[in-house]
Amino acid sequence: MGICHLLNDSIQAVVPAMFPILEKSMGLTFTQLGIIAFSLNMVASVMQPVVGIMTDKKPMPFALPIGLTSTLLGVLGLSFAPSFGWIVISVLFIGLGSAVFHPEGSRVAYMAAGKKRGLAQSIYQVGGNSGQALAPLITALILVPLGQRGAAWFTFVAAIAVLLLVYIATWYTKKLRFDLEVLKQKGKEAISTAQPHADKLVLYLTLLLFLIFARSWYVSGMTNYFAFFAIENYGFSIQKAQYYLFAFLVSGAVGTFFGGPLADRFGKRNIILISLVGTAPLSILLPFAPPAFAFIILALTGFILMSSFSVTVVYAQELVPGKIGLMSGLTVGLAFGMGAIGSVVLGYLADQIGIILTIILTGFLPLLGILTLFLPQDKK
């Protein structure tokens, strides 16, 4: 499942990776690039909780390969899109595939987790973050030399993912039958859906989603616009700027992996707090750092910030037991959605006040992590 997540998100990463190419070849503004990111992420965001609610009621194992087929069609359309409008339509197909894949992928990871839910979710999420981390390399090695048509190569990546997901869907179906037999033998009392914080559940969920909002806006600012900042501030080429972004994303993938086991040991709320508050000094310093130091700061920032990515998913699943798909859809889907809104807002801001000042202001977002102190401690 982690490998499929890598393949899915590497395809999705093609879209922001193409921004410097599209900006030059089609003369798109930062606002138009933000609209493309908004179209991709908003469909995934809105649809993920809907898919989660549906599959909580009736699991649909073969929705996984069907969703990736939609992604395959989208990336094929993106590679041959002749205009801004066709690009938006193509990324809608990619977003729809992502909306189906993520909540069901989280469910499969949960089903396979045993008692190590943080570790299992990290293995699943690190695949996705690794796929996103490939975006700068995709730009530097494929899209810069081949241009927009180079995206067509990712139809083969999507096809591999579809085949793997057919295998996983078969396992998923057998696991559902097995669990149903166990449930019949033990009785319905074997499944607990008690909500220990029912009286303040809406408040806690709202606060958790707000923290995801802060993290997602910062990550969106880095992934979509840091390359432009590096080109303007340091005089980098497109390729060199992508290597800096690659450092941020790869260290984020590593942080995602270590965050789960650390949360299993030290508590999920503690890791969420440390990841956001610990990032703030580095993110504020980053725009003022010289190039070599900025590379180190980017790597550290990615590691610390993304250590809470999988942890927030498991924290939400345990906060609202029995709603695995819905909580996965809300936490992961909201990350896409907030990133989508952030892409548009930050793109508009960059057009108005300049890319350098926009990146400076973005660095203050992780400070909002102090609000984690108002969340309940997770207990065994």
Side-chain angles (χ1 to χ4, degrees):
M1 200 68 226
I3 292 170
C4 290
H5 202 181
L6 185 151
L7 297 174
N8 178 81
D9 282 26
S10 68
I11 296 167
Q12 198 166 319
V14 170
V15 179
M18 287 182 70
F19 281 1
I21 310 296
L22 295 173
E23 190 237 358
K24 282 196 170 185
S25 64
M26 291 188 175
L28 302 182
T29 65
F30 284 126
T31 303
Q32 285 178 310
L33 295 177
I35 290 170
I36 293 170
F38 177 85
S39 303
L40 170 68
N41 294 334
M42 206 61 196
V43 170
S45 171
V46 171
M47 291 300 296
Q48 276 196 47
V50 175
V51 173
I53 291 170
M54 292 170 59
T55 54
D56 279 336
K57 293 180 178 179
K58 183 177 176 58
M60 294 179 282
F62 283 90
L64 284 164
I66 293 170
L68 253 292
T69 302
S70 172
T71 299
L72 188 154
L73 295 174
V75 78
L76 188 62
L78 180 65
S79 61
F80 295 101
S83 64
F84 172 70
W86 278 106
I87 290 172
V88 172
I89 292 171
S90 298
V91 299
L92 289 176
F93 275 89
I94 297 174
L96 182 62
S98 179
V100 174
F101 176 84
H102 282 96
E104 281 299 270
S106 287
R107 186 191 303 278
V108 171
Y110 189 95
M111 292 167 70
K115 295 180 180 179
K116 301 285 186 180
R117 290 177 185 170
L119 175 61
Q121 196 65 223
S122 285
I123 292 170
Y124 169 66
Q125 296 293 354
V126 79
N129 287 2
S130 300
Q132 292 167 19
L134 292 174
L137 289 184
I138 291 168
T139 302
L141 302 178
I142 299 176
L143 298 180
V144 169
L146 299 179
Q148 184 180 344
R149 298 291 173 89
W153 286 99
F154 289 87
T155 55
F156 296 106
V157 176
I160 293 169
V162 170
L163 292 174
L164 288 172
L165 286 170
V166 168
Y167 169 77
I168 290 170
T170 304
W171 173 86
Y172 184 173
T173 304
K174 292 177 181 176
K175 183 74 166 63
L176 287 175
R177 290 172 185 164
F178 175 79
D179 289 348
L180 184 61
E181 288 301 317
V182 171
L183 186 62
K184 286 178 179 177
Q185 291 172 15
K186 291 187 175 181
K188 288 190 177 181
E189 66 276 4
I191 303 298
S192 173
T193 57
Q195 295 181 358
H197 304 289
D199 55 333
K200 295 183 179 179
L201 193 59
V202 174
L203 173 63
Y204 290 149
L205 274 177
T206 302
L207 183 55
L208 182 63
L209 296 180
F210 183 76
L211 293 168
I212 293 172
F213 149 88
R215 186 185 65 204
S216 299
W217 271 46
Y218 183 77
V219 173
S220 177
M222 291 296 102
T223 55
N224 290 323
Y225 301 113
F226 183 80
F228 296 105
F229 169 84
I231 290 167
E232 183 172 330
N233 196 47
Y234 301 135
F236 285 177
S237 65
I238 291 177
Q239 285 179 309
K240 191 170 182 179
Q242 296 298 324
Y243 293 134
Y244 271 62
L245 185 56
F246 178 67
F248 173 76
L249 295 171
V250 164
S251 60
V254 176
T256 298
F257 178 77
F258 282 101
L262 288 171
D264 285 337
R265 182 170 181 179
F266 298 109
K268 298 169 186 66
R269 195 196 75 160
N270 294 337
I271 297 301
I272 295 171
L273 175 65
I274 292 168
S275 78
L276 286 163
V277 175
T279 297
L282 296 170
S283 63
I284 293 169
L285 179 62
L286 175 63
F288 306 100
F293 195 36
F295 187 90
I296 297 170
I297 292 176
L298 274 171
L300 289 172
T301 300
F303 181 90
I304 298 170
L305 184 66
M306 297 307 291
S307 63
S308 65
F309 191 88
S310 62
V311 177
T312 50
V313 179
V314 181
Y315 184 91
Q317 289 173 343
E318 294 183 353
L319 189 66
V320 189
K323 302 291 183 183
I324 300 168
L326 175 58
M327 289 301 102
S328 301
L330 274 178
T331 51
V332 180
L334 189 84
F336 284 118
M338 289 299 101
I341 296 171
S343 297
V344 175
V345 173
L346 294 175
Y348 178 78
L349 199 62
D351 283 332
Q352 299 303 311
I353 66 174
I355 192 69
I356 293 176
L357 187 53
T358 299
I359 293 297
I360 290 172
L361 293 175
T362 303
F364 288 89
L365 285 169
L367 281 174
L368 295 171
I370 197 70
L371 297 173
T372 307
L373 291 170
F374 295 99
L375 287 172
Q377 283 279 10
D378 47 297
K379 298 176 181 179
K380 295 294 182 185

